[in-house]
Amino acid sequence: MSIVAKILPVRRTNYFDTVKGVFRPAENATAVELTEVSKIKETIINLLFTDSPQTVDYLVVAYSDKTYLVERDSDTSYCKKEITYHPLMSKVKLTA
């Protein structure tokens, strides 16, 4: 099975990170690899709202030949925006 999408959960640096001396917590993030298209929306909802809403600020999603930034707009919905650059884009790059 081939990987059809990658989702990278990203957390912004907060006060407690700087106290601990961790200035780039997003660099240690690991992308979630999906092999089924039908699991993309379910995984986004789980990451943003169910599993880790306090530890994930936004997601970088690579699907097909596009990359999206996915953020919460309320307690139950999210929005996505197609992007052409992100500093962590190499972690979600899909290789053919």
Side-chain angles (χ1 to χ4, degrees):
M1 291 176 131
S2 63
I3 298 169
V4 295
K6 286 186 181 181
I7 301 174
L8 181 69
V10 180
R11 182 174 59 85
R12 294 183 182 97
T13 305
N14 62 27
Y15 170 77
F16 297 106
D17 292 323
T18 56
V19 169
K20 295 176 189 174
V22 178
F23 299 105
R24 296 181 183 161
E27 288 183 354
N28 298 328
T30 307
V32 177
E33 298 177 344
L34 301 174
T35 56
E36 296 178 31
V37 176
S38 60
K39 298 284 185 181
I40 295 173
K41 186 172 185 174
E42 177 184 331
T43 304
I44 289 171
I45 291 170
N46 283 339
L47 287 171
L48 286 179
F49 302 108
T50 309
D51 294 342
S52 49
Q54 276 74 37
T55 58
V56 174
D57 291 316
Y58 64 92
L59 306 171
V60 179
V61 179
Y63 170 65
S64 185
D65 60 343
K66 298 182 181 185
T67 305
Y68 300 95
L69 186 77
V70 180
E71 299 178 294
R72 292 180 207 93
D73 19 341
S74 71
D75 291 338
T76 57
S77 66
Y78 64 89
C79 62
K80 69 178 180 178
K81 179 181 181 181
E82 187 176 343
I83 58 174
T84 57
Y85 174 77
H86 190 279
L88 300 171
M89 195 177 243
S90 62
K91 290 190 176 209
V92 294
K93 183 175 179 174
L94 296 173
T95 55

